[in-house]
Amino acid sequence: MMRILNTAVVLVTLAVAFALYHVKYETQAEQRDIRNLTAELATEHDAIQVLQAEWSLLNQPERLEGLVERHTDLQPLAPAQIVTLADLPARPKALPGLEADPSLGGYAGTVAPGPGIQ
């Protein structure tokens, strides 16, 4: 009876030792993966900071103004170009009999329903 019990205890001890060995190496592999991911994350974070610095440099108003002057005919906005709501043209009136043909003018989708619509 003692021999069977001793054999069982030895087998259980070997099984537990193997399980601990396996868990230990899995833990080390996971720690290595975490270190690699942390290093990769730091590299990506540094790359993001470099890109943000480049974006800030490329979007400086003086640089953009120089590019606009060299490559376009755009002019600064004159005060006369600013209008109020009262300066805008009035909404076109719907003429009777022309509501059915939207190609004749008016704002898109604003044709009033009437007897001429089929």
Side-chain angles (χ1 to χ4, degrees), residues 33-88:
D33 289 344
I34 289 171
R35 278 193 302 268
N36 290 339
L37 288 174
T38 302
E40 186 177 330
L41 184 63
T43 302
E44 294 295 328
H45 184 69
D46 290 344
I48 288 171
Q49 287 183 336
V50 168
L51 290 174
Q52 286 175 336
E54 287 180 9
W55 181 256
S56 296
L57 183 67
L58 292 175
N59 285 320
Q60 288 181 344
E62 297 84 19
R63 180 186 172 277
L64 293 176
E65 186 178 344
L67 288 174
V68 168
E69 288 175 359
R70 271 186 270 146
H71 299 290
T72 67
D73 294 332
L74 294 176
Q75 299 296 322
L77 184 65
Q81 292 175 306
I82 300 173
V83 296
T84 62
L85 189 59
D87 296 333
L88 294 176

Side-chain angles (χ1 to χ4, degrees), residues 5-54:
L5 183 63
N6 285 341
T7 304
V9 168
V10 168
L11 289 177
V12 168
T13 303
L14 287 175
V16 169
F18 178 75
L20 286 175
Y21 175 80
H22 183 69
V23 168
K24 175 187 172 188
Y25 281 99
E26 277 189 8
T27 303
Q28 288 177 345
E30 293 295 328
Q31 287 175 341
R32 188 174 39 250
D33 289 344
I34 289 171
R35 278 193 302 268
N36 290 339
L37 288 174
T38 302
E40 186 177 330
L41 184 63
T43 302
E44 294 295 328
H45 184 69
D46 290 344
I48 288 171
Q49 287 183 336
V50 168
L51 290 174
Q52 286 175 336
E54 287 180 9

Side-chain angles (χ1 to χ4, degrees), residues 77-115:
L77 184 65
Q81 292 175 306
I82 300 173
V83 296
T84 62
L85 189 59
D87 296 333
L88 294 176
R91 186 178 195 166
K93 295 180 180 178
L95 300 174
L98 297 178
E99 295 90 8
D101 190 4
S103 66
L104 295 177
Y107 294 116
T110 59
V111 176

